[in-house]
Amino acid sequence: MRPFLAALLLPVLFFTGCSHYQLGTEGKLTFTRLYIAPVENTAALPQAAAVFSTQLRDAFLRDSRVVLVNSSDQADATLTVSLAQLTRGVATARPDDTGLTRKFEITVHALCTLRDNRTHAALFEKRPVNATRQLFTTPSPYVNESDQLQAEYNLMPQLATALADRIAHTVLDVW
């Protein structure tokens, strides 16, 4: 009799525990229209501002909690992002030659400012956001050449996507 009651009671407890669950966040944003200023590039990333700006806009378009507008005059809030620094860390080196690195961790650091255009108050200012991706280089058949520069160039869209997603979560999630 006890196994029968336990089998009957277990689904009832399970479904009552999930009855108050809801998807998404309960926090409401104070703005509905957002202007994203072109990304500023003070880091050592030549020609990266366009890639990062595009990925940033795409991240907000995918989320759809806010409407993106084309000027700050039309927006409730303005987001400015400045690429501050690019760092490279050694993740793996060849076992027979510790001076020759094959795997790096590339991190891009950005500073984000979100301003309410109606009150001219900063919702947050110069908030640091970063993203890291791993970079793999392959041995070159030529001793004097390295494939690291081309590998870093190929990695920029992935790094921009990761940073854009983190910035979108920083802006749209409850803080």
Side-chain angles (χ1 to χ4, degrees), residues 96-117:
D96 60 335
D97 186 0
T98 57
L100 187 59
T101 303
R102 292 288 174 218
K103 180 178 169 186
F104 295 91
E105 287 191 350
I106 307 293
T107 303
V108 63
H109 304 270
L111 298 174
C112 304
T113 299
L114 182 65
R115 291 201 175 279
D116 189 331
N117 291 346

Side-chain angles (χ1 to χ4, degrees), residues 108-174:
V108 63
H109 304 270
L111 298 174
C112 304
T113 299
L114 182 65
R115 291 201 175 279
D116 189 331
N117 291 346
R118 297 163 295 193
T119 63
H120 302 290
L123 299 174
F124 58 78
E125 193 165 0
K126 294 185 180 179
R127 181 174 289 186
V129 179
N130 58 29
T132 302
R133 286 291 176 259
Q134 293 183 345
L135 170 79
F136 300 94
T137 59
T138 55
S140 176
Y142 307 104
V143 177
N144 295 335
E145 294 182 15
S146 172
D147 293 333
Q148 180 182 351
L149 199 58
Q150 184 63 40
E152 282 187 18
Y153 178 76
N154 294 340
L155 184 71
M156 280 305 130
Q158 296 172 17
L159 195 57
T161 301
L163 183 66
D165 288 341
R166 296 192 98 185
I167 292 171
H169 286 296
T170 301
V171 170
L172 298 175
D173 291 348
V174 178

Side-chain angles (χ1 to χ4, degrees), residues 1 5 17 20 27 30 42 46 57 72 81 95-96 99 113 125 157 162:
M1 186 68 170
L5 288 175
H20 297 290
T30 60
T42 59
R57 290 185 65 83
S72 60
V81 176
D96 60 335
T113 299
E125 193 165 0

Side-chain angles (χ1 to χ4, degrees), residues 31-48:
F31 54 92
T32 57
R33 295 179 316 244
L34 177 68
Y35 171 67
I36 301 173
V39 172
E40 299 171 9
N41 184 8
T42 59
L45 291 167
Q47 302 176 352

